[in-house]
Amino acid sequence: MQVKLSDMKLGETGTIRSVKTENLHDMRILEMGFVQGEKITVTGFAPLGDPMEVRILDYSVSLRKSDSENILIQTGQQA
Amino acid sequence: MNITVALTGNPNAGKTSLFNMLSGSRERVANYPGITVEKKIGHAQWNDNSLSFYDLPGTYSLSAVSAEEMVTSDFLTGRTGVSADVILFVTDSLALSRNLYLLTQVAESGKAVIAVLTKTREARANGKQIDLQKLSGLSGISFIDSAGRPPKVREQIFTAIVNAAKQEKKQSSAPDFYGKEDAAAIAKAQDTLQATGTTMHPAEIFMLLSGEPQTKKEILELWHNHAGLLYPEKGEEVLSALEKIAAQKASQNGYAESVRRRYAWIDSIVEQSVTLDKPNKKTLTSKMDKILMSRILGPVIFFGVFTVLFEAIYTWSTPLMGIIESGIALLQQGASALLSRLPMFHDLVVDGIIGGAGSVLVFLPQIIILFAFIAVLEESGYLSRASYLTDKFVSWSGLSGKSFVPMLSGFACSIPGIMAARTIPNRTARIATILTVPLVSCASRLPVYMLFISAFIQPVYGNAAAALTFLLMNSLGALLTLPVAWIIGKKFLQPSPTPFLLEMPEYRIPTLSSVYDRMAEAGWDFLKRAGTIIFIFSIIIWALSYFPRAQNATAAYQLEQSYLGQAGKFVQPLFSPMNFDWKTTIGIVAAFPARELLVSTLGILYESEATADEFSSLSGKLAAEKSHSPASAMALIVFFALSAQCMATLVTVRQETGSLRYAFALFFYMTALAWLLSWLTYVTLSSAGLG
Ligand SMILES: Nc1nc2c(ncn2[C@@H]2O[C@H](COP(=O)(O)OP(=O)(O)OP(=O)(O)O)[C@@H](O)[C@H]2O)c(=O)[nH]1
Ligand SMILES: [Mg+2]
């Protein structure tokens, strides 16, 4: 199943399908390891549900919903 | 041989820690990405070689997204004029793959590269074993472990640096991540750039060549300021070369594909050289975050931490201040007895120097306690969590969680706070942060709060009320930062979405020595300040209160007719709505260079009036004279909490924004806001019967 990273639940794991690459900030997200095929796990949500914290490539990073909406994740079987 | 070594790596990788160890420097280290914001230089001698180390701001990629990251790209490409002979790549083993990404770019720079692996012990504790031999063999770059006895590690690293510098440059063993056609386009663009006398890293060029229109536009915007700074004479030429490159057609593969290739290469290396004991082991950090970052407990703990912090500063410092106060009174008595034959000299030393600069010294304990807390917060790794917890609450104002650290630093001093704003990539948010950090109550305001609270609030309303007032005054400016930032961003600058992307480092127990260093440094700075600026201004202020001499006048009359008294009376009408007397208004005027001068000025004024045998504390004198009602005392504290009384801050704002306009704007809006809220406080409290 393919979902937006922003729609994933706490503790869920998946594989990155695609990332938006429209501006410099998008490029930075990409360069920090959000590339196709990497495994990603949702590890937390801030009090108001945004930003969220994820674990990728063995480190933790937080990002806003406006960014996580643009990241598509493959969940389900493989996870 | 002279060897220039550049330390590069991801933010928070441990570059400054290593830099300090190698060069014996004492630059600031903290467990938060983005502490170093400008390059620092250190030196070491090894056999016959003198090594110069450059500590650079951390970055995730050489394609910079902010001004501070540009510093690193500039240095590695040699655009700044200084060129590194050897690059010391600092690799955080806790986030190995992401660190290696930058290494793949650094390896393309054509310089000799040595990699140092940090935090290997922590990695092992998390169940991660890194095989150095395999990692070096597969990547073609030799890795050194930084764990071990410092002299030995130093020797190992120095030897490697010297060997690398002596060797002939050899071709990088990293594969080509661009593809033939793109590599050719990059080389061609590089020629265009070199014709104008500049150069860029292949990754920088490739992003400019292959990015989407918006990406290209943003890179050019970043360069717009930068080219002028870097090349005052040929900035325009460089910019037009960049524009020409950006105008070229999209490439064969695109930047995203090059990123994917780099990570594919890294994944294959990491797979072979790293073993995990228990793949899904819960680390201590993730267990702690379950509590500290939980949606309900997280904010509760957050407010708890900061309330305890300011309560503790107030309650712990009070007894220590008492000790210093009695010491100073003793000193005054001694000096007074010694100099009784030389009236003018007696007054200069007893009233001007000890009464002025001495009355500021009393506040040393609070400064040291504040910095102890800040050191613990910085080293623990909690700051990233605090940014994360606050992000959504501040986003309406146009700021992001990234403004949290500049604001928190502002509690110590606005200047490092303003400089920390360099890590904010968005210009509007950065300027709004720079212009609001000075509202946050810095350590220099503490003396003013303490003095007036202990003179007028504590004796009447007790300890609890005094501590509460103290907490309130410390938060007032911070609470105003968001609405003010909102107004600045919306009305005066161009609003644009603020990105927020922040790494969460592992928790770490602060070492005693790191806390001690921070306390000692802050304490020493404060003493130096008291011994220089405050000392000099105290003497000037004393002289203005001593001259002209009135014949056979009472002390009070002498003061009133002195130059200082005249000045105080001149501005007094401005502050009469708050019922400040002329002595207070003298203090306000005198404190524009630096806030603490209010305390030293009052110290001088009340000292000159005192008869020789009363050496009581300044707060005692103020209380005895009943110079302020509770309402006007509060109004005065509010004025000092918010006004722009610090020359050094204004100078820093000018430097960091590159424009005098912002420094003026800051001065006028803060002073106006301070007056307005001071007046409101007075009116409200007087009508409540505290007048
Ligand atoms: N356990 C352990 N901690 C380390 C090591 N090296 C650095 N640290 C810690 O890592 C954190 C970051 O260290 P810094 O030296 O400030 O890192 P930096 O790379 O200069 O960071 P920026 O200036 O923010 O880019 C601090 O909390 C250090 O105490 C190491 O080898 N082992
Ligand atoms: Mg650093």
Side-chain angles (χ1 to χ4, degrees), chain B residues 153 225 230 441 527 599:
Chain B
V153 176
N225 273 330
L230 213 52
S441 183
L527 289 180
V599 176

Side-chain angles (χ1 to χ4, degrees), chain B residues 11-17 30-32 34-36 119 122 379 508:
Chain B
N12 209 44
K15 297 176 296 298
T16 305
S17 310
N31 195 9
Y32 179 83
I35 291 297
T36 307
K119 309 181 192 175
E122 262 173 279
E379 259 302 284
R508 183 165 302 126

Side-chain angles (χ1 to χ4, degrees), chain B residues 418-453:
Chain B
I418 291 167
M419 294 187 61
R422 288 189 194 179
T423 54
I424 299 170
N426 166 304
R427 183 161 166 91
T428 301
R430 178 163 172 248
I431 300 278
T433 305
I434 289 176
L435 293 182
T436 48
V437 161
L439 283 172
V440 176
S441 183
C442 67
S444 303
R445 272 121 152 161
L446 297 183
V448 179
Y449 302 162
M450 283 301 261
L451 178 64
F452 281 85
I453 289 174

Side-chain angles (χ1 to χ4, degrees), chain A residues 13-15 74-79:
Chain A
T13 296
T15 313
Q74 179 79 43
T75 58
Q77 251 63 359
Q78 306 100 305

Side-chain angles (χ1 to χ4, degrees), chain B residues 566-628:
Chain B
Q566 292 168 30
K569 287 196 169 152
F570 182 72
V571 294
Q572 203 252 344
L574 265 180
F575 294 95
S576 56
M578 286 84 100
N579 215 5
F580 295 163
D581 63 5
W582 59 271
K583 283 189 204 158
T584 311
T585 57
I586 292 176
I588 292 175
V589 174
F592 272 96
R595 295 189 170 81
E596 304 95 315
L597 287 170
L598 171 72
V599 176
S600 65
T601 306
L602 293 179
I604 293 165
L605 295 179
Y606 284 89
E607 207 59 63
S608 330
E609 280 193 346
T611 48
D613 51 30
E614 40 170 325
F615 293 110
S616 61
S617 70
L618 179 55
S619 63
K621 285 178 197 143
L622 288 174
E625 182 151 316
K626 294 213 171 43
S627 62
H628 292 262

